[in-house]
Amino acid sequence: MFLKNKFFSPYMIILLSFVGVTILGGFLLSFPISVNYGKSVKLIDGFFIATSAVCVTGLSSIDIASIYNPFGQIVILILIQLGGLGVITFTSVIIILISKKIGYYTKKVVQEDINIDTTFKIEEYVTKVIFTVILIEFIGAVILFFEFIKKFSFLKAVYYSFFHSISAFCNAGFALFSDNLYGFKNSFIINITIPVLIFLGGIGFSTILNCYNVFRKKEKRLTTTTKLSIKISIFLVLIGTVAMFILEYSNPKTIGNLPLFQKLGAAFFQSVTTRTAGFNTVSISGLKISTSLLFIILMFIGASPGSTGGGIKTTTFGLIVLGTWATLKNRNTIEYNKRSVSWRIYNKAIAILFISLIYTSICVFLLILLEKNKNLLDLAFEVYSAFGTVGLSRDLTPNLTSISKFVLIVTMFVGRVGPLTIALALSKSKMKEEHISRPQENILIG
């Protein structure tokens, strides 16, 4: 089913699958069949929206609510669902339904696509992932329906419920309203349901299934990855909530005019969505500089591994903190959860951080050259929002040049697929065992 030869590693297959679906979606979203009467979409904008949907980002160079008709919106929704789970994962499900089994090479590709550490019983794992996703999105849609039915007809409420439930769980951040979810800032259902869906989608499929299996006593304990993902995710949500509440407390452009309880709700909502999803119930362009910088950090860290979100991932951030702490304590091992962690994994985390920082810095530099009259903070915010597949913007995206939009398209790809995955996909060198022991040399650092 997959192209199997020396030129197509699992990493390359994953990269090509995202590119292929994006190209198809880009053309569909540029055709008149997808837009409302009297509207038109430039090819660059069609590809921008398709990339944003497949990479579950949510950045929009045009207003999808007013420009795209139901067909175009459904195309976006399909791209979101494909991008959230992974194109390869969907393909594997089709193979399983037809042949009841998949080959070893395909298993390796799926393993990389959904980021698990084994190919053992991968058919069963993929089936559970799909079932879990459908169940969570359905429950989310049912809850959201009770909010949308207050303002819309039955069929429209159902449609809006499923669209926003899928968009939230896949951490896409697309909304069918021109002001995103700003009009629902006082809604208790929206301010609770959307963040919960985002959190579940961003925590990772393996984490959700591990928690479920422990609850059902099918597994004895939570894995170290699960514990680290959950703890760091909760920590970042709390830090973001408290920081935004304090920093924006008296800011009339964001939460300054809201009652105390609604201020807390808005701060919580934005803290959750800023790391991965990109929905907003407050004005992002109205945020203070300090809050915007905090949001850039949260977007850069992103979601957990094996999830629908982007960024360098919560476990990468956690491992770097643990490794740094071990170094400061002059320890020979990295320890967490009464287990030792390999320095080799720590080195991989450092590589991801280094590549990501270099890449995003280059992108910011390019946008500074291309957008001479734009604010530096706005440009940096745009780049890290694209890299973290978040989708928040300080009202800048529609005003960018075509070249700048292309830079963000590539950045969304890098953020969704992963900088290390892309580096390995483009690299033709294979990992080799080193049999030669060379003399060691000390290099002064610090």
Side-chain angles (χ1 to χ4, degrees):
M1 188 72 179
F2 295 110
L3 295 171
K4 180 181 177 182
N5 57 53
K6 63 181 180 180
F7 297 108
F8 289 92
S9 65
Y11 304 106
M12 180 61 76
I13 293 293
I14 293 169
L15 181 60
L16 291 176
S17 70
F18 275 91
V19 172
V21 170
T22 301
I23 291 174
L24 177 61
F27 280 116
L28 283 175
L29 293 176
S30 302
F31 291 157
I33 191 176
S34 299
V35 300
N36 288 315
Y37 180 77
K39 303 287 186 178
S40 63
V41 175
K42 295 179 181 178
L43 194 60
I44 184 66
D45 289 317
F47 276 98
F48 191 96
I49 297 299
T51 305
S52 187
V54 171
C55 297
V56 290
T57 305
L59 277 176
S60 298
S61 56
I62 54 178
D63 181 10
I64 68 167
S66 62
I67 291 180
Y68 285 113
N69 59 26
F71 176 80
Q73 292 173 359
I74 290 173
V75 169
I76 293 173
L77 189 62
I78 292 172
L79 293 176
I80 289 172
Q81 190 73 87
L82 284 172
L85 279 174
V87 182
I88 302 299
T89 304
F90 261 104
T91 307
S92 301
V93 172
I94 295 172
I95 296 173
I96 292 170
L97 292 174
I98 295 174
S99 64
K100 304 300 181 183
K101 64 178 181 179
I102 56 179
Y104 177 75
Y105 184 75
T106 304
K107 288 182 179 180
K108 289 295 293 180
V109 178
V110 176
Q111 178 190 0
E112 296 296 337
D113 190 36
I114 56 181
N115 200 7
I116 58 174
D117 57 3
T118 180
T119 58
F120 183 66
K121 291 185 177 181
I122 201 164
E123 297 97 332
E124 181 182 338
Y125 181 85
V126 169
T127 304
K128 286 181 178 179
V129 166
I130 297 295
F131 175 78
T132 302
V133 169
I134 292 174
L135 179 62
I136 292 174
E137 289 176 347
F138 178 78
I139 294 173
V142 170
I143 298 173
L144 291 175
F145 173 80
F146 291 103
E147 178 63 36
F148 291 126
I149 195 63
K150 297 176 183 177
K151 297 184 177 182
F152 307 105
S153 65
F154 178 82
L155 290 178
K156 204 166 188 178
V158 170
Y159 173 58
Y160 279 7
S161 299
F162 275 99
F163 188 98
H164 292 92
S165 179
I166 294 171
S167 182
F169 180 79
C170 290
N171 283 214
F174 278 104
L176 296 180
F177 309 102
S178 297
D179 60 354
N180 203 273
L181 296 179
Y182 185 83
F184 296 89
K185 61 182 178 181
N186 298 326
S187 168
F188 178 78
I189 292 177
I190 294 294
N191 279 283
I192 295 297
T193 307
I194 294 294
V196 169
L197 288 170
I198 293 169
F199 186 86
L200 290 175
I203 203 68
F205 303 126
S206 60
T207 297
I208 293 174
L209 292 178
N210 181 219
C211 291
Y212 175 77
N213 288 333
V214 170
F215 177 76
R216 293 292 301 274
K217 297 183 179 179
K218 292 182 179 180
E219 293 182 26
K220 293 182 179 179
R221 65 180 183 87
L222 296 176
T223 65
T224 302
T225 299
T226 296
K227 289 183 178 180
L228 194 60
S229 296
I230 293 176
K231 286 182 179 179
I232 293 178
S233 296
I234 293 175
F235 171 76
L236 292 175
V237 168
L238 292 175
I239 288 294
T241 301
V242 173
M244 181 176 175
F245 179 78
I246 294 173
L247 294 172
E248 299 292 322
Y249 186 87
S250 58
N251 185 358
K253 296 180 180 179
T254 53
I255 65 174
N257 297 325
L258 297 176
L260 181 62
F261 183 75
Q262 289 184 13
K263 285 181 180 180
L264 280 171
F268 168 73
F269 183 96
Q270 213 56 57
S271 177
V272 175
T273 190
T274 295
R275 274 185 37 246
T276 53
F279 288 109
N280 65 282
T281 56
V282 299
S283 171
I284 301 302
S285 60
L287 293 172
K288 293 181 178 179
I289 294 177
S290 54
T291 312
S292 299
L293 289 174
L294 171 68
F295 279 13
I296 286 175
I297 295 172
L298 292 176
M299 291 189 293
F300 183 68
I301 296 172
S304 298
S307 70
T308 58
I312 64 171
K313 301 297 187 289
T314 53
T315 49
T316 302
F317 170 72
L319 194 56
I320 291 172
V321 172
L322 291 172
T324 303
W325 181 253
T327 301
L328 293 175
K329 288 289 186 177
N330 202 26
R331 293 174 179 170
N332 294 323
T333 59
I334 302 173
E335 296 180 3
Y336 178 75
N337 193 31
K338 298 182 179 179
R339 298 285 193 280
S340 63
V341 181
S342 170
W343 283 101
R344 183 176 178 180
I345 300 177
Y346 173 77
N347 293 337
K348 184 177 178 180
I350 290 294
I352 291 173
L353 176 65
F354 179 76
I355 294 171
S356 301
L357 284 173
I358 292 296
Y359 176 80
T360 50
S361 297
I362 291 173
C363 287
V364 172
F365 180 75
L366 287 174
L367 289 191
I368 291 173
L369 294 177
L370 295 168
E371 307 289 337
K372 299 184 184 300
N373 298 322
K374 302 295 191 302
N375 183 276
L376 173 59
L377 177 63
D378 294 345
L379 295 173
F381 198 95
E382 201 82 6
V383 168
Y384 283 97
S385 179
F387 178 79
T389 68
V390 177
L392 294 177
S393 175
R394 292 172 62 84
D395 297 335
L396 184 64
T397 314
N399 302 317
L400 296 174
T401 62
S402 295
I403 300 177
S404 297
K405 289 177 183 177
F406 179 76
V407 171
L408 292 182
I409 285 174
V410 175
T411 303
M412 287 188 281
F413 263 116
V414 173
R416 176 64 183 93
V417 180
L420 196 59
T421 298
I422 291 179
L424 292 170
L426 299 177
S427 174
K428 294 183 178 179
S429 61
K430 296 182 179 179
M431 187 178 293
K432 297 180 181 179
E433 290 288 338
E434 192 65 71
H435 299 290
I436 301 174
S437 179
R438 294 183 173 83
Q440 285 190 348
E441 187 74 31
N442 290 327
I443 298 177
L444 298 177
I445 60 173

